[in-house]
Amino acid sequence: MEQELKQANFAFIGFGKVARAFARLLINRRKWFIRKYGVEWNITGIATNKHGISIDPRGLPIEKILRSWKAHSSLNNFHNGPACDSHADFIRQCGADVLFEMSLLDLSGEPAASHIHEALRAGLHVITTNKGPVATHFRRLSRLARQRDVKFLYEGVVMDGAPVFNLFRNTLPSTHIRSLRGILNSTTNYILTQMEQGASFETALEYTRKKGIAEADPRLDLEGWDSAAKLSILIQALMGGSVKPDEIERHGISEDIGRKVRAAVRRDRRLRRVARAYRQGGRVIGKVELQELEIFDPLASIRGLSNILVLNTDTMQELAIIENNPSVEQTAFALFSDLVSLM
Ligand SMILES: NC(=O)c1ccc[n+]([C@@H]2O[C@H](COP(=O)([O-])OP(=O)(O)OC[C@H]3O[C@@H](n4cnc5c(N)ncnc54)[C@H](OP(=O)(O)O)[C@@H]3O)[C@@H](O)[C@H]2O)c1
């Protein structure tokens, strides 16, 4: 007798580079979900800022939407559901079991934090790649998820699909993290390491924009806000601290950084922007600093878009996670791996 398939409905907030890469990955693994979990999925709603909103309780024609997607496309043409006056309305009416929050980074955390709050309150699991709400509302949203007995997952907010939170949660039982340090921002690292080879600041930044790696507002990368938000999340999720991004000391980089990059190379050292957290007198302190590193420091060998996180633990001593030259496909995989953990 054929096994009856279970139905899982997903809703997206944001349909940018990450969301479209995730949709492509879901399509690619459609048969795998059926084979492995007996689950057939539908995307029943997508909401954006300027590209409209659409709901279809029977499932949106996602392949057609992706095929026809252009800069000025509107999702309103695919709407076949109840009228929505707001994103809160959308969340309540989209008929989803899981909301994927993939809207733009804003350091206030809003409006994404309200989207996530609304979804958790309505009993939906939430999976996000948006650092803003996780950094600024971590405790409140995690508590709400526990109260509602749903999951609030955010693997993609640090190092894309490389396992950081899932690794800690699932494979490092009873482990205390004493300190951590890493290179967490691909755009800045690409600029610094390209400048070591003579490239200009502007050319290197332009490349990260074209690859879809730089934030929509690249000042968030250059001024260290992106690293500070990631560090704040690591501190809250892995070290039990409560440091917000604006409480983290930051060093930005600008066009005149070339002089320092070349001076470091002349001394046979490397300039890197290092995010680090350590414990001091019962508190956790976070810093995002430009550091000249010895050539044999593992962080000095991290080049281009690559990232590294080194955890100093009481069980494994030093454990390093490296992500080599990520793109949006790796961010999409973070959403995918969080989703699979719900199955
Ligand atoms: N790109 C990466 O490699 C990467 C890696 C890790 C994490 N992230 C994070 O993932 C998220 C998405 O990144 P992305 O590269 O896909 O960005 P993107 O291409 O700029 O797309 C952002 C999407 O969010 C929508 N949006 C913006 N404000 C909104 C609002 N107030 N309500 C609803 N939707 C809104 C936009 O709508 P419109 O289409 O109407 O403008 C767009 O569809 C960001 O938070 C980013 O920081 C990205």
Side-chain angles (χ1 to χ4, degrees):
M1 202 174 78
E2 250 183 50
Q3 192 194 350
E4 203 175 313
L5 295 179
K6 286 173 269 176
Q7 185 67 44
N9 290 338
F10 306 148
F12 288 8
I13 295 199
F15 199 58
K17 295 175 287 295
V18 169
R20 297 197 302 274
F22 177 53
R24 288 193 296 270
L25 180 57
L26 280 176
I27 292 166
N28 190 276
R29 297 294 195 274
R30 194 185 277 285
K31 287 190 182 141
W32 181 84
F33 271 107
I34 294 174
R35 249 192 348 264
K36 179 110 179 126
Y37 299 109
V39 167
E40 197 164 39
W41 58 262
N42 267 321
I43 297 171
T44 53
I46 305 177
T48 65
N49 188 24
K50 302 184 297 279
H51 288 91
I53 289 186
S54 81
I55 292 180
D56 189 331
R58 290 166 312 172
L60 290 163
I62 188 65
E63 297 184 38
K64 189 169 169 195
I65 293 174
L66 283 172
R67 259 198 319 274
S68 61
W69 191 258
K70 291 194 194 74
H72 301 295
S73 301
S74 174
L75 288 162
N76 296 337
N77 306 332
F78 297 96
H79 187 70
N80 188 22
C84 294
D85 290 333
S86 64
H87 285 128
D89 239 15
F90 167 81
I91 292 162
R92 285 191 293 266
Q93 312 221 53
C94 63
D97 308 296
V98 187
L99 178 81
F100 294 89
E101 218 297 344
M102 302 168 286
S103 71
L104 271 193
L105 170 62
D106 184 303
L107 286 167
S108 72
E110 292 295 354
S114 299
H115 300 154
I116 295 173
H117 187 273
E118 193 64 42
L120 294 172
R121 221 162 55 100
L124 277 70
H125 301 291
V126 174
I127 299 178
T128 188
T129 52
N130 190 338
K131 295 158 276 264
V134 187
T136 47
H137 300 275
F138 181 81
R139 295 225 164 142
R140 182 169 68 87
L141 296 174
S142 304
R143 193 181 326 116
L144 180 58
R146 281 195 300 276
Q147 284 165 357
R148 295 292 153 140
D149 199 21
V150 288
K151 296 285 183 199
F152 171 46
L153 300 170
Y154 41 81
E155 185 59 70
V157 297
V158 177
M159 291 175 71
D160 311 293
V164 173
F165 305 101
N166 289 331
L167 178 117
F168 182 70
R169 206 179 283 130
N170 300 328
T171 64
L172 292 175
S174 182
T175 293
H176 174 75
I177 296 189
R178 299 186 189 112
S179 64
L180 55 85
R181 62 196 284 267
I183 293 175
L184 304 178
N185 181 263
S186 295
T187 299
T188 316
N189 203 55
Y190 186 80
I191 293 172
L192 291 177
T193 55
Q194 283 298 105
M195 288 181 95
E196 282 168 3
Q197 296 173 345
S200 75
F201 181 91
E202 201 38 62
T203 315
L205 175 59
E206 191 49 34
Y207 176 83
T208 63
R209 280 205 187 106
K210 280 208 187 111
K211 284 273 285 179
I213 295 282
E215 288 295 337
D217 177 357
R219 283 175 306 180
L220 292 169
D221 297 305
L222 302 177
E223 293 174 8
W225 285 112
D226 174 81
S227 295
K230 289 169 175 167
L231 186 59
S232 157
I233 298 168
L234 290 168
I235 289 172
Q236 297 182 77
L238 304 186
M239 297 178 77
S242 61
V243 181
K244 296 283 161 61
D246 58 4
E247 294 165 336
I248 290 175
E249 195 182 307
R250 280 174 301 112
H251 289 170
I253 67 160
S254 52
E255 281 167 57
D256 59 9
I257 198 70
R259 216 167 20 87
K260 286 188 181 160
V261 170
R262 288 187 294 274
V265 171
R266 275 197 301 276
R267 284 190 279 270
D268 211 14
R269 295 158 78 97
R270 296 292 180 264
L271 191 71
R272 296 286 182 270
R273 195 163 65 192
V274 177
R276 65 189 182 102
Y278 55 94
R279 298 181 186 275
Q280 193 175 67
R283 290 174 56 219
V284 183
I285 314 281
K287 292 186 176 172
V288 175
E289 308 168 308
L290 276 168
Q291 289 184 357
E292 244 191 47
L293 303 176
E294 300 284 353
I295 197 89
F296 50 76
D297 186 317
L299 273 61
S301 69
I302 299 303
R303 306 187 56 77
L305 301 170
S306 303
N307 285 190
I308 184 170
L309 177 65
V310 182
L311 304 174
N312 184 329
T313 73
D314 66 345
T315 52
M316 282 293 294
Q317 303 301 333
E318 287 216 331
L319 179 67
I321 306 158
I322 295 176
E323 183 188 31
N324 208 21
N325 280 327
S327 66
V328 285
E329 272 71 34
Q330 277 70 56
T331 314
F333 181 72
L335 295 158
F336 182 82
S337 66
D338 275 344
L339 172 63
V340 168
S341 76
L342 297 178
M343 299 285 157

